[in-house]
Amino acid sequence: MEFRLTAEQELFKRTLREYCEKNIEPIAREVDEKHEGIPDEILEGLAELGVLGITFPAAYGGTAPEGEELTYANIAVQEIARADLSMSIPVYVLLQLGWATLVGRHGTEELKQELLPNVAAGKWFVGIATTEPGGGSDVANIQSNAVQKDGKFILNGEKVYISGVCETTEQRDGGHLTLFRTDPEAGHKGMTFAYVPARSKGITTTLFDDIGRGGLSTGGLNYKDVELPESYVLGEVNRGFYMNMEGFNVARTLVASACVGAAEKALEIGRDHVTNRVLFGKPLAKFEGISFEIAEDWSKLFQLKLLLQYTSWMIDTFYKEPGSFTHRDISEVVSMCKLEAPLLSVEIVKHAMMYMGAQGYTKEVPLGMALRGLMSYVVGAEGGSNIQKLIIAREYIGDVAVPYR
Ligand SMILES: Cc1cc2nc3c(=O)[nH]c(=O)nc-3n(C[C@H](O)[C@H](O)[C@H](O)COP(=O)(O)OP(=O)(O)OC[C@H]3O[C@@H](n4cnc5c(N)ncnc54)[C@H](O)[C@@H]3O)c2cc1C
């Protein structure tokens, strides 16, 4: 068992930290406040470093050493989140990395050729479209549907709160891996998961005015007789629910990576402040009310970082050695990461803000925008906290608590 990063992984992390501190940190607030998306030069820079193709094979422009995809992606997302606490850029990257993993694993040759090189180059965005107006948590109850006709699917329905709507229509190109019904009588066993280009004929969009993550848009996608080639289906027709869940395992891990990266930076901001701020004749760090809280936060964050390293390794091993773990083994641990990371990161940011007093409440520090960005993952993006608890309870307690679908 090896817990250290390899020399190559360390180098990747160091190089990326330097890049992010120099290029992303100085513009993070502007990106958050302007609401105009992520500047091209940032995506080009990340593409040059190989970050945007880190989870898929070299044959499609990918860059990760085989078998270490998630380990590298976890490092990358943590580093980007340290530099952009608004979460706009880390979320953009983590969504791409997460959902492109699935395309690399289960997409047809045609889809991989079309999509992945453009994703790796930072030109196209690929995201996820599961949530509908009837509720995001109850995935098995979605209503969007498609019929198969003349070698195509004809899709109708509506998705809401979808990240990357402007990015795939106005700012760049690309689309979303989308869940829809293909056998209405078969419940969750009658769903299909397919790539839907956002510029397809028959799609109209709406936008939500989110309180955070201002550099990344969230909107709705309405489908009216949208034609999709069969080659856009991931895996098998009517097995889409399970395909979507496999993708959630990867994406939720990277969500936790983003929260952990932001929390690490916030904790450092708080630590530096209490080290230097002198009150009542001594640095704030001398007061145990503060230093003990920082010790507790660091201890919890350190445990979470290790859990994430383990989870990334587990997913890498699952893909490298089929049969080594089941999807359910993985989803239990992934849900622990997704449950803990958003809540802990919000707590840490709040603590750091409080150490800074009034200054913590100003835009001189990135803590306010961190709080707004991180809350997206507390309220529900990529699955709310209670949904993670349902998954953990299902695996640990068993069917009596939560039956497996
Ligand atoms: C910023 C942002 C970006 C997003 N981006 C995307 C995206 O790109 N693609 C996408 O598909 N979706 C996206 N979402 C939607 C997200 O996946 C949903 O918000 C999430 O699944 C919850 O669905 P909901 O908002 O409809 O809440 P609901 O499903 O209505 O749930 C409301 C609350 O009830 C809780 N709850 C639900 N069921 C239970 C239960 N059985 N027991 C106890 N509590 C329960 C939930 O945890 C939640 O707190 C995004 C959301 C946000 C905030």
Side-chain angles (χ1 to χ4, degrees):
M1 194 178 290
E2 177 60 87
F3 272 105
R4 275 173 304 193
L5 297 183
T6 63
E8 291 78 15
Q9 290 162 357
E10 277 293 352
L11 178 65
F12 176 71
K13 180 175 163 166
R14 237 186 359 260
T15 310
L16 193 52
R17 181 164 302 185
E18 272 169 33
Y19 174 83
C20 293
E21 284 178 351
K22 185 159 170 247
N23 298 285
I24 293 182
E25 206 172 312
I27 59 146
R29 182 171 297 283
E30 193 185 333
V31 170
D32 184 49
E33 291 186 350
K34 261 179 139 178
H35 290 248
E36 288 175 4
I38 295 158
D40 287 344
E41 55 273 22
I42 295 297
L43 293 174
E44 283 159 13
L46 290 173
E48 260 173 48
L49 290 171
V51 171
L52 303 180
I54 208 88
T55 56
F56 48 87
Y60 310 103
T63 41
E66 211 181 320
E68 296 176 55
E69 288 88 345
L70 254 285
T71 299
Y72 270 88
N74 175 33
I75 296 170
V77 173
Q78 284 193 40
E79 287 306 318
I80 297 168
R82 281 180 55 94
D84 174 13
L85 273 75
S86 85
M87 306 300 282
S88 308
I89 303 174
V91 173
Y92 184 104
V93 172
L94 82 84
L95 285 170
Q96 295 222 129
L97 296 184
W99 297 102
T101 304
L102 212 65
V103 175
R105 296 278 163 193
H106 300 290
T108 61
E109 188 58 27
E110 203 178 324
L111 178 61
K112 288 191 274 197
Q113 297 277 3
E114 178 183 333
L115 186 60
L116 295 181
N118 285 307
V119 168
K123 293 182 181 150
W124 288 18
F125 174 85
V126 59
I128 162 77
T130 304
T131 308
E132 298 193 352
S137 304
D138 191 3
V139 176
N141 193 36
I142 59 153
Q143 301 300 320
S144 295
N145 62 85
V147 288
Q148 246 169 321
K149 199 174 156 198
D150 303 330
K152 288 184 178 142
F153 286 92
I154 315 292
L155 172 65
N156 283 284
E158 183 183 1
K159 300 288 178 183
V160 286
Y161 306 118
I162 305 304
S163 304
V165 166
C166 292
E167 286 71 6
T168 47
T169 51
E170 296 159 16
Q171 296 164 7
R172 291 185 188 90
D173 210 329
H176 296 84
L177 306 190
T178 306
L179 191 65
F180 48 82
R181 287 186 183 279
T182 32
D183 181 352
E185 307 304 316
H188 71 287
K189 293 188 174 159
M191 294 181 181
T192 298
F193 201 46
Y195 171 67
V196 179
R199 291 171 188 257
S200 301
K201 190 162 168 270
I203 295 187
T204 51
T205 61
T206 53
L207 282 181
F208 294 100
D209 198 2
D210 286 343
I211 62 163
R213 286 165 44 168
L216 177 61
S217 69
T218 310
L221 295 160
N222 296 284
Y223 313 106
K224 177 89 183 77
D225 296 329
V226 178
E227 289 191 8
L228 300 173
E230 287 173 342
S231 60
Y232 282 175
V233 170
L234 277 90
E236 291 171 39
V237 173
N238 291 333
R239 295 283 302 164
F241 179 83
Y242 298 99
M243 190 58 55
N244 196 161
M245 295 303 135
E246 181 177 334
F248 274 144
N249 277 345
V250 177
R252 285 174 180 161
T253 303
L254 297 179
V255 164
S257 308
C259 295
V260 159
E264 190 178 67
K265 183 68 178 192
L267 194 58
E268 288 170 19
I269 292 171
R271 182 189 60 187
D272 291 350
H273 183 79
V274 302
T275 305
N276 295 312
R277 178 75 160 170
V278 175
L279 288 175
F280 303 99
K282 51 190 176 183
L284 271 179
K286 281 272 187 213
F287 295 94
E288 287 172 352
I290 286 182
S291 65
F292 280 18
E293 188 170 72
I294 292 180
E296 280 173 14
D297 282 347
W298 174 228
S299 160
K300 289 179 199 158
L301 188 60
F302 192 84
Q303 291 170 48
L304 197 51
K305 281 168 75 79
L306 282 182
L307 182 64
L308 258 178
Q309 203 173 327
Y310 172 74
T311 309
S312 309
W313 166 85
M314 202 177 181
I315 297 176
D316 282 339
T317 306
F318 165 81
Y319 282 128
K320 208 165 39 182
E321 299 163 19
S324 51
F325 295 106
T326 65
H327 286 291
R328 292 181 62 176
D329 295 333
I330 294 173
S331 59
E332 180 181 12
V333 181
V334 166
S335 286
M336 291 175 189
C337 296
K338 174 64 175 70
L339 171 64
E340 300 295 342
L343 294 170
L344 179 63
S345 60
V346 164
E347 276 310 294
I348 289 177
V349 170
K350 271 173 23 193
H351 292 162
M353 256 184 166
M354 282 147 73
Y355 306 149
M356 300 193 86
Q359 195 192 357
Y361 195 63
T362 69
K363 292 183 176 180
E364 284 169 34
V365 288
L367 298 173
M369 68 180 185
L371 209 50
R372 288 187 281 107
L374 289 164
M375 275 306 292
S376 69
Y377 286 126
V378 176
V379 302
E382 300 282 351
S385 299
N386 282 348
I387 299 308
Q388 311 316 312
K389 289 181 195 171
L390 285 176
I391 294 170
I392 298 164
R394 181 190 75 195
E395 297 307 325
Y396 186 68
I397 305 175
D399 273 4
V400 62
V402 185
Y404 183 69
R405 280 188 210 267

